[in-house]
Amino acid sequence: SAVVDVPKYKMLDGREMPAIGLGTYLGFDKGGAVTSKDKQLRNVVTEAIDVGYRHFDTAAIYNTESEVGEAIRMKIEEGVIKREDVFLTTKLWNTHHKREEVIIAMKETLNKTGLDYVDLFLMHWPIGVNADYTHSDTDFMETWHAMEDMVKLGFTKSIGLSNFNKMQIQRVLNEGTIKPVALQIEVHPQIIQEELIAFAKAEGIVVMGYSPFGSLVMRFGMEFPGPKMDDPVLTSLAQKYGKTPAQIVLRWLVDRNVVPIPKTVNPKRLRENINIFDFKLEEDEIEKINQFDSNTRYTLPSFWQTHPYYPFEQIPNPIPDPFRS
Ligand code: NDP
């Protein structure tokens, strides 16, 4: 099958981000700390490179940095790609928000990937915690300034934010030296993020959408309310364009200038998910999918909701902190 040629977005710092990335968080059922068996993820990533993926999304907390890095290094050694052809996004975990900890985390990440630099280093959350997961009041601006140093040291080409709300992003824009080039947030038909996407766009920040399939797929081994693969709105669009409902939803993100980062470890779905750059939804079709919005988050760490920098709305019954068992 043909290699898909993926378009790119120009970022504020002049660098370019491929318009789709492969998600590599494998930990849903296991609560976070999971590595793949028998180099499964490494093999998925090498295959992804063969079919045209040039952007990979990982994080220190996913435990997948080493296999993603190994796959990239293998493909460079094979001569299939050069380092500058791939875009690697990773994230700083909440336990390393203090100025002196950021460089330690960054070096650990580079060690795991076996690469000299990453392309994009995101602050995973505005929330800092201590090693024992008690709340730390470390100001995320301290963290941001330390991340700026990582650019100056050449450890990452670009820096950005994840799970920040509008006010928090505004503060980084006001007080930072380097502007965040990217914002990674939850985006799918049930949380369309109209306001935050418009805000980011006005500031020139590229938005990456995580959990792009929303309710279409099982999460935590469960079905959730919301549109499924057999939803009539999605199946009729799928029919019209000769695509699958999954591809329609990914294209909906692309048509809103959001970089989807779908996760799959399945070779067939790897191809399916990237094969979305040969058609385009009409304005009213985008609007139809927007109607599924119910402001539903699957990533809602309500156990942090008493933290001063918690980015989301509080809920009445927060869940127990899984990091503090
Ligand atoms: P996704 O919306 O990517 O859904 C993943 C699920 O969908 C998997 O079960 C996968 O199974 C299945 N799937 C993939 N493609 C298809 C398809 N074409 N048809 C049917 N099923 C499909 O959810 P995630 O929550 O994993 O989000 C994606 C990525 O976003 C993560 O891997 C991570 O990199 C990032 N993320 C970032 C967060 C943050 O805080 N910044 C939070 C959450 C996620 P299978 O593998 O078997 O195909």
Side-chain angles (χ1 to χ4, degrees):
S1 57
V3 180
V4 177
D5 197 8
V6 176
K8 291 171 181 172
Y9 293 105
K10 186 84 151 209
M11 302 190 294
L12 281 173
D13 59 5
R15 303 190 62 86
E16 290 185 324
M17 181 195 291
I20 188 169
L22 181 68
T24 70
Y25 179 55
L26 307 174
F28 269 128
D29 304 320
K30 319 266 161 60
V34 167
T35 31
S36 69
K37 280 198 186 67
D38 308 319
K39 305 276 186 186
Q40 183 199 21
L41 182 65
R42 185 200 70 185
N43 298 337
V44 168
V45 172
T46 53
E47 186 156 2
I49 291 171
D50 289 338
V51 305
Y53 286 85
R54 291 293 179 270
H55 181 181
F56 300 92
D57 182 75
T58 181
I61 194 69
Y62 299 171
N63 249 335
T64 55
E65 287 174 317
S66 41
E67 282 192 49
V68 173
E70 186 181 349
I72 291 171
R73 287 185 282 109
M74 282 170 68
K75 284 293 163 185
I76 292 171
E77 273 161 44
E78 275 179 41
V80 177
I81 49 166
K82 297 207 235 8
R83 174 64 187 87
E84 58 268 31
D85 299 329
V86 301
F87 190 99
L88 180 60
T89 297
T90 190
K91 314 184 192 85
L92 175 76
W93 188 237
N94 305 6
T95 47
H96 290 73
H97 272 214
K98 285 195 169 39
R99 189 147 200 158
E100 65 276 13
E101 288 168 342
V102 173
I103 187 163
I104 294 170
M106 179 91 252
K107 285 183 171 170
E108 209 169 306
T109 278
L110 291 176
N111 253 323
K112 285 190 172 154
T113 59
L115 301 172
D116 301 332
Y117 67 89
V118 299
D119 293 276
L120 177 61
F121 194 45
L122 300 173
M123 200 185 315
H124 207 144
W125 291 89
I127 295 164
V129 297
N130 300 308
D132 63 357
Y133 280 88
T134 53
H135 294 180
S136 155
D137 56 9
T138 310
D139 190 331
F140 57 74
M141 285 314 305
E142 174 181 331
T143 317
W144 185 252
H145 289 308
M147 290 172 68
E148 293 175 338
D149 292 342
M150 298 306 105
V151 176
K152 288 171 195 133
L153 289 168
F155 294 151
T156 183
K157 297 292 181 190
S158 304
I159 49 176
L161 306 170
S162 179
N163 297 307
F164 274 57
N165 67 31
K166 187 176 159 182
M167 271 176 56
Q168 293 169 329
I169 300 163
Q170 190 65 64
R171 200 174 151 224
V172 178
L173 287 168
N174 293 346
E175 298 175 28
T177 305
I178 300 177
K179 284 186 181 183
V181 298
L183 171 68
Q184 186 175 124
I185 52 175
E186 186 167 343
V187 183
H188 49 72
Q190 293 176 284
I191 181 156
I192 69 171
Q193 300 272 24
E194 202 129 56
E195 206 191 327
L196 207 44
I197 290 172
F199 172 71
K201 196 174 179 182
E203 296 292 344
I205 299 169
V206 175
V207 178
M208 304 168 68
Y210 73 67
S211 305
F213 295 124
S215 61
L216 264 64
V217 297
M218 301 246 285
R219 295 188 182 273
F220 323 106
M222 286 186 287
E223 295 255 19
F224 282 88
K228 299 288 173 311
M229 291 294 181
D230 64 354
D231 179 89
V233 170
L234 300 178
T235 54
S236 65
L237 290 172
Q239 187 119 39
K240 172 177 172 184
Y241 291 107
K243 295 287 175 180
T244 64
Q247 289 172 317
I248 295 295
V249 167
L250 293 176
R251 184 67 215 193
W252 167 82
L253 276 91
V254 170
D255 283 327
R256 300 179 67 222
N257 292 316
V258 176
V259 175
I261 47 170
K263 171 265 172 185
T264 183
V265 292
N266 173 289
K268 187 168 152 278
R269 293 191 281 277
L270 205 55
R271 288 169 173 77
E272 178 183 345
N273 294 349
I274 200 174
N275 191 12
I276 56 170
F277 295 101
D278 56 355
F279 78 111
K280 170 175 190 6
L281 298 172
E282 315 262 6
E283 206 55 58
D284 64 305
E285 295 168 341
I286 295 169
E287 196 46 49
K288 249 190 192 164
I289 297 174
N290 286 348
Q291 298 306 312
F292 288 117
D293 191 21
S294 56
N295 207 37
T296 303
R297 294 181 196 281
Y298 296 108
T299 296
L300 188 74
S302 57
F303 45 87
W304 285 327
Q305 70 177 15
T306 54
H307 192 285
Y309 298 129
Y310 185 69
F312 307 144
E313 47 294 319
Q314 298 199 348
I315 59 168
N317 296 300
I319 61 167
D321 188 341
F323 298 106
R324 298 178 69 181
S325 45

